[in-house]
Amino acid sequence: MRCKKYIYKVCAALAFSVCSVAHADDLENVIKIGYARVNLNTKSGELTGPPGTTPPGLGLGVKDLDVLAMSYERRLSRNWAVQFQAGVPPTLTAVGAGTGQSVGTVATARIWFPTVLALYTFADVPVIRPYIGLGVTYTFFTDQKSSSAYTSAFQGTSSSIHLKGSWSPYARVGFEYQLDKRWIINLEYSSFRMKTVATVVTQTPGIGAISRRVDIKGYPQIFGLTVGYKF
């Protein structure tokens, strides 16, 4: 429910921005769809738990992602636009690192990072038009699952995991090439900050529920190639 509430807030902010400048000249809608490669560039702290329950040096690594990227853009003038972007949420895979590298896959989850951006296009540049963007994103997770390998490593019977969401500024630079009046090709590079806390609760025979946690920080870099349609 909290995730849905944040999505509604992002959508409402976009709608307000569009409506507040509805009088601007040369309004234009653009839908873009394509491929994005997300290099997550994460670092984790050590997994911690109650004294005597967690060996030192256990960390987490996160695999990079391939994303089907989608966005809606409302052009407000020749130079300015507001964009809402989302995509099909990929599966995030966390693996053991440090002394826990042999465990393999530790957890999986769907990762979402809907984003609202203000874009400025250098419209007077011929042929290939550069642009810059700045906005905000909210990263959150669904379908969070801990692996049986993790549970077995701690001699448990079952485990559950929760990954905390976070807000972050979001920056982009890109280039657009106009194929004709309606179609464009877009190449972009984006970056933002990702910060989460993973809390894993393992049911352990003879002891009960043991909660462990690890901090994860990253500065994802996104390389995207999309095709856009104006209407």
Side-chain angles (χ1 to χ4, degrees):
M1 292 299 294
R2 290 184 61 190
C3 294
K4 290 182 179 179
K5 182 169 66 176
Y6 284 120
I7 294 176
Y8 296 152
K9 286 183 179 180
V10 170
C11 293
L14 174 64
F16 177 79
S17 299
V18 171
C19 292
S20 65
V21 292
H23 63 278
D25 296 330
D26 302 320
L27 292 178
E28 200 171 50
N29 301 292
V30 185
I31 292 178
K32 296 177 181 177
I33 186 169
Y35 166 79
R37 177 67 175 178
V38 184
N39 297 329
L40 290 169
N41 299 317
T42 59
K43 293 182 179 180
S44 81
E46 291 190 7
L47 188 69
T48 60
T53 66
T54 309
L58 298 175
L60 284 182
V62 181
K63 294 183 178 180
D64 294 335
L65 304 170
D66 296 301
V67 179
L68 176 61
M70 296 178 286
S71 68
Y72 165 74
E73 184 177 313
R74 180 69 166 178
R75 186 150 294 279
L76 310 177
S77 69
R78 179 176 169 85
N79 299 105
W80 289 97
V82 175
Q83 184 185 71
F84 172 70
Q85 72 170 28
V88 177
T91 298
L92 183 78
T93 302
V95 297
T99 58
Q101 188 171 359
S102 61
V103 175
T105 298
V106 171
T108 59
R110 292 280 187 180
I111 180 172
W112 305 68
F113 38 94
T115 305
V116 175
L117 290 163
L119 303 178
Y120 181 84
T121 301
F122 298 89
D124 294 329
V125 177
V127 187
I128 298 177
R129 298 193 305 178
Y131 65 89
I132 57 176
L134 186 64
V136 63
T137 188
Y138 181 72
T139 305
F140 65 94
F141 307 86
T142 59
D143 297 332
Q144 303 167 63
K145 299 176 183 177
S146 181
S147 72
S148 57
Y150 173 90
T151 302
S152 297
F154 288 101
Q155 300 178 342
T157 56
S158 65
S159 297
S160 61
I161 184 171
H162 174 73
L163 295 160
K164 185 179 179 181
S166 64
W167 290 94
S168 169
Y170 191 104
R172 168 176 296 156
V173 294
F175 299 89
E176 287 186 353
Y177 176 72
Q178 191 88 25
L179 295 174
D180 57 28
K181 183 178 179 180
R182 296 289 184 182
W183 293 94
I184 60 173
I185 293 178
N186 174 70
L187 181 66
E188 62 191 38
Y189 165 80
S190 307
S191 184
F192 65 100
R193 183 186 66 183
M194 185 178 75
K195 181 179 180 181
T196 186
V197 178
T199 302
V200 189
V201 179
T202 302
Q203 300 297 327
T204 309
I207 300 176
I210 296 179
S211 178
R212 300 177 177 90
R213 56 175 283 166
V214 60
D215 296 326
I216 303 171
K217 297 180 181 179
Y219 290 89
Q221 296 178 315
I222 305 175
F223 302 88
L225 177 63
T226 59
V227 175
Y229 179 76
K230 297 182 178 182
F231 62 98

